[in-house]
Amino acid sequence: MIDELDNQNPRPDTFEANRESDDLNVRDVHGAILREKDDPRDGYEPIPLWLVSFFMALVFWGGAYLAFNSGGFESKVFNPSQVSWSGGGAVAKGPPDPKVVGKRLYTANCVACHQATGLGVAGQFPTLVGSEWVLTEGWQGDNHLVFILLNGLQGAIQVKGDTYNGAMPPWKQLKDDQIAAILTYIRSEWGNNESPISAEQVAKIREETAAQTEPYTQAQLQAIPAIEFEDAPAAAEGSAPPAPDAAAPAPAPGA
Amino acid sequence: MNKMPVIIIGAFLTFLSSWIGLVAYPYLQLGRFTPFTSEDTGDINPPPLSGMAVTGQRVYGSSGCIYCHSQQVRQVGYGSDLERGWGARPTVARDYMRENPAFLGTMRTGPDLTNIGARQPSVMWHHQHLYQPGTVSPGSIMPSYRYLYRLQKIEGQRSANAIDLLPPDNPPDGYEVVPTYEAEALVAYLLSLNRNYPLPEAPEPPQ
Amino acid sequence: MSATTTAHSSTAAPAMDKAERARIDESTRVPVLLFFGSAVFWLLVGTLFALLASFKMNAPHLLDQWGWLTFGRVRPAHLNAVAYGWASSAAIGTSLWLMARLCRTPLRHSKLLICAAIFWNIGVLLGIFGILSGDSRSIEWLEFPNYASLMLFVAFGLIAVWAVIMFRFRQPGHVYVSQWYLLAAFIWFPWLYSTANILLNFEPIQGGAQGAVNWWYGHNALGLWFTPIGLAAAYYFIPKVLGRPIHSYYLSILGFWSLALFYSWNGMHHLIGGPFPAWMVSASVVASIMMFIPVITTAINHHMTVRGNFGALKWSPTLRFTVFGAMCYTLASVQGSFMAIPLLNKITHFTHYTVGHAHLGLYAFFTMIMFGSMYYIMPRVVGWEWPSARLIRWHFWLVAIGIGVMVVALTIGGILQGLALLDPGITFMASLDYTKPWLFLRSGSGILLTAGHIVFATSFTLLLLKAGTRREGPTLFGTDQGREPEPIAP
């Protein structure tokens, strides 16, 4: 065992040693103490040169990094990749792809309820996949979609034979091109195949419905005649039932 | 190095350098903001929290939401926050000037909430989500905050603020689930989270 | 040993005689046992909270009826219980004993320390109750409500005063490297704790500046409180058990001062890409990379001290836990330096990778070194050897495997999560789905760690009760089977 004795001997004649053996059980303490080695001491090997060189290189790198990534040490520069504050936004690279923008906006704003798959949550949030509301089959028209996005929907509605009794909040705080992008996206994703919707069409409907303050009910929407946007845009609310969807591309017949 | 003063003074000075650099100077640069008033619209940004949202901020803190949710939209090139639509622009220090504490967060077990008020403006959705997150958001591991709600017998008419719940958490017939004041305050706070206003030091990046 | 070592042997610490050493150990008994006892208690409490938090991430409905057990409260209860309850108490207990030994003078003014221990425990207890009942300040590492943090600050003030007095009245002679770290830690921590609490909790500054103060504190609690004490312990116990000198005094100096200079600037690396001026973030990135200097220096110093004697790890519990911890210090710090590089930080930020890194540091480095320290110190203050080498062996393997599995699981899960989050084409829910199997694995590792802690607590209690038959020698691995260790190489 490590019961090796240390070089030094205890000093039995001193006051301290005698006093200590009165207070403590000598065997208790001396067992652990006796076998201990001396307290640690320092060696004096020199620092290796390669280590010093490596550290110098690190310091140099650090200085360079700091010089190039500190935005001039200004409090208004938040992005380390910017050399200094340019005082405004950078130049845009060109018009963005509406499908990409639409998907991003859908993911940010709509996924919470309608889910990334578009399938919604049974009994709570209606599905958009193959939905007659999105594809504007049945009584629904393109204009109804824009109404819903702008002012919301409430009360019981029928979607693909199921009843949903939820509430969709209004999204009129989104810009026209954003609403158009979202609608275009949902009409061309998940197997849906309908024509895109433009920002101008959204703008027009926003103007017409400026007075609307409450979310629509299904009954209210059904009272408004459906409009397909490829039709003459002059078709106003309350006019005759919609003309057949003449301008929509007819599916190519087999062979 | 056998002298106490050397160690003490050395430890003091090295530490002082970081205290100056990461505490005192940032306080001077970032701790004395005033809100920005837009010349065109007259809007004051960041807007002050009002009403129930002030209590809601405390509920957010005491519920420990920061351990799963962050509240910072990262800079361009430092993540896909903007591409995910989590904000129109990266957040800057002034956005947090009225927060105490600032709920920056360090984990994204759940999504970033900086602009959740803009992304999800439906009060009912928030209550449903707080009560049964796994049902409203399939796959979510967020715990239920049902202890912020009360199950009570319907007296006469259903309460105006009763929430609609899906199975298996929907109340039995004759009963309704009603948010407590704390739940309503929390939702009010969440709806107030919207940092999409412009600031001079925070221009919108290109698409 | 080379010629240069013997040439300077005159500056070695004068050897204490046995009676003096015994008297010093005896004088530390009450405060050390108070702090170590509290530490073990809070280790169990903190581990229980950890297990609950981890299970809740696997099964969110677990115990969700009660607000006081919601994940958002259990998780900070865990952090504070292990950081201020377990780790800090163990740190203080170890430091007291080390200070007394290294100052070569019996511990004075133990009443100061007994008061401190009482205040400390009351503070932690109040703090944990505060968090669970909803009084959390919701600032990471500083969640304790003011009535609790005040207690901690008073306790710590007493300890800092004691430390300065002890050092002032030390025996003249060479000041060993461990003492530099201990003295510095006792100066740094009260300054850190008071500044952060005043600016964030007592008289909060504007929110825009709070994040900087928060993470200046959070990182420095790790780097300027736990790390120096862990290193002080490693610098003492490794050469002590082996009976060999520390490889290079010059490396010790370089390591100490570079740590003091660079570590404290790291804080902003928790906020890369965040709403802070670019210069602050870049300064912390640079400081984080510069940490290679103290870390590699210390690693070389320790490695060269042990070199040729790794066989000693087979029989010494103190050495095994301490060397494990010292190696993980190097690993965790190097990992941390890389994590601060924005290219990699983009991936790991906000993910479980960070949690894995935190545990590699606070557990695999610091906690393991604390275990090693306690295995050495306890027999000397209790006057009895550890009752069972088998329990020590079980303790080691349970926690070593436990922390290994945990860190690997969270690292892999975190990287997958981070890569998914970076790609806007991948839904957020998908990033969460990637983490789920790894979170299950983490819970499994948590069970191993809990078991290890229960084994340790059992061992600790049996030692306090002086259970078993009196041993003639130390409780080394294998002594239950009657094996004998090999001698140390000269």
Side-chain angles (χ1 to χ4, degrees), chain C residues 29 88 107 204 210 226 259 282 294 352 396 406 430 435 440 488:
Chain C
R29 171 180 303 183
S88 294
L107 187 144
Q210 281 187 6
F226 292 125
L259 183 133
S282 294
H352 294 287
F396 177 77
M406 178 173 179
T435 64
F440 270 99
I488 303 292

Side-chain angles (χ1 to χ4, degrees), chain A residues 137-223:
Chain A
E137 298 150 1
W139 61 265
Q140 291 89 348
D142 295 341
N143 55 337
H144 291 130
L145 272 180
V146 183
F147 291 147
I148 293 170
L149 263 266
L150 284 173
N151 291 300
L153 197 54
Q154 62 179 329
I157 63 172
Q158 265 72 46
V159 182
K160 292 175 77 173
D162 295 318
T163 306
Y164 293 85
N165 201 343
M168 173 157 159
W171 292 95
K172 58 165 68 117
Q173 68 272 23
L174 293 176
K175 302 203 262 268
D176 296 331
D177 56 344
Q178 292 176 317
I179 292 182
I182 293 175
L183 290 175
T184 303
Y185 173 72
I186 65 174
R187 281 153 67 93
S188 57
E189 189 79 355
W190 314 303
N192 290 349
N193 191 359
E194 259 297 336
S195 50
I197 297 202
S198 76
E200 293 78 34
Q201 289 152 347
V202 175
K204 193 156 159 298
I205 300 213
R206 187 193 290 267
E207 233 182 273
E208 287 168 2
T209 62
Q212 184 76 17
T213 49
E214 283 288 305
Y216 293 101
T217 60
Q218 181 170 321
Q220 285 175 333
L221 286 176
Q222 282 174 310

Side-chain angles (χ1 to χ4, degrees), chain C residues 374-438:
Chain C
M374 288 170 78
Y375 276 119
Y376 195 87
I377 297 172
M378 285 295 289
R380 285 154 180 80
V381 296
V382 174
W384 195 261
E385 301 296 339
W386 289 94
S388 163
R390 183 166 286 124
L391 280 179
I392 305 180
R393 188 159 40 96
W394 273 94
H395 174 212
F396 177 77
W397 286 111
L398 280 170
V399 300
I401 294 177
I403 193 62
V405 170
M406 178 173 179
V407 171
V408 168
L410 291 177
T411 298
I412 298 178
I415 292 178
L416 292 175
Q417 181 188 13
L419 289 173
L421 279 174
L422 259 189
D423 182 353
I426 299 181
T427 64
F428 181 82
M429 204 52 85
S431 80
L432 183 64
D433 285 334
Y434 280 122
T435 64
K436 285 179 184 171
W438 305 103

Side-chain angles (χ1 to χ4, degrees), chain C residues 263-302:
Chain C
Y263 221 135
S264 54
W265 279 88
N266 281 10
M268 298 302 295
H269 70 213
H270 294 262
L271 292 163
I272 295 177
F276 293 94
W279 70 263
M280 287 177 66
V281 172
S282 294
S284 283
V285 171
V286 169
S288 306
I289 300 290
M290 300 306 277
M291 282 304 295
F292 277 126
I293 298 180
V295 170
I296 293 178
T297 302
T298 306
I300 293 177
N301 223 0
H302 288 159

Side-chain angles (χ1 to χ4, degrees), chain C residues 118-268:
Chain C
I118 294 173
F119 269 104
W120 191 272
N121 279 289
I122 292 178
V124 177
L125 199 64
L126 283 178
I128 303 285
F129 268 108
I131 291 175
L132 292 179
S133 59
D135 283 346
S136 163
R137 278 288 299 159
S138 195
I139 298 177
E140 279 190 73
W141 286 90
L142 292 161
E143 289 94 342
F144 277 176
N146 293 348
Y147 49 81
S149 51
L150 209 54
M151 298 273 141
L152 291 189
F153 184 66
V154 166
F156 207 83
L158 295 172
I159 296 170
V161 164
W162 171 87
V164 173
I165 297 177
M166 273 296 275
F167 198 76
R168 169 78 182 78
F169 289 106
R170 71 189 182 286
Q171 292 290 333
H174 184 59
V175 176
Y176 185 62
V177 53
S178 295
Q179 280 175 290
W180 315 337
Y181 281 108
L182 290 177
L183 198 60
F186 283 170
I187 294 171
W188 288 330
F189 188 66
W191 188 350
L192 268 178
Y193 198 67
S194 56
T195 301
N197 269 299
I198 290 172
L199 293 180
L200 297 177
N201 288 335
F202 284 90
E203 292 291 331
I205 56 178
Q206 271 193 6
Q210 281 187 6
V213 178
N214 184 183
W215 288 106
W216 170 82
Y217 172 80
H219 196 86
N220 287 345
L222 248 337
L224 300 182
W225 167 236
F226 292 125
T227 297
I229 295 182
L231 291 181
Y235 267 112
Y236 185 85
F237 290 115
I238 292 177
K240 174 72 160 173
V241 170
L242 292 176
R244 288 160 57 82
I246 280 288
H247 178 70
S248 169
Y249 175 74
Y250 307 112
L251 284 178
S252 303
I253 296 238
L254 176 62
F256 176 73
W257 288 116
S258 54
L259 183 133
L261 181 60
F262 293 127
Y263 221 135
S264 54
W265 279 88
N266 281 10
M268 298 302 295

Side-chain angles (χ1 to χ4, degrees), chain A residues 36 39 42-43 45 69 77, chain C residues 101 174 236 246 248 278 282 380:
Chain A
E36 264 187 44
D39 261 13
D42 292 298
E45 300 299 321
N69 289 287
V77 179
Chain C
R101 279 287 191 107
H174 184 59
Y236 185 85
I246 280 288
S248 169
S282 294
R380 285 154 180 80

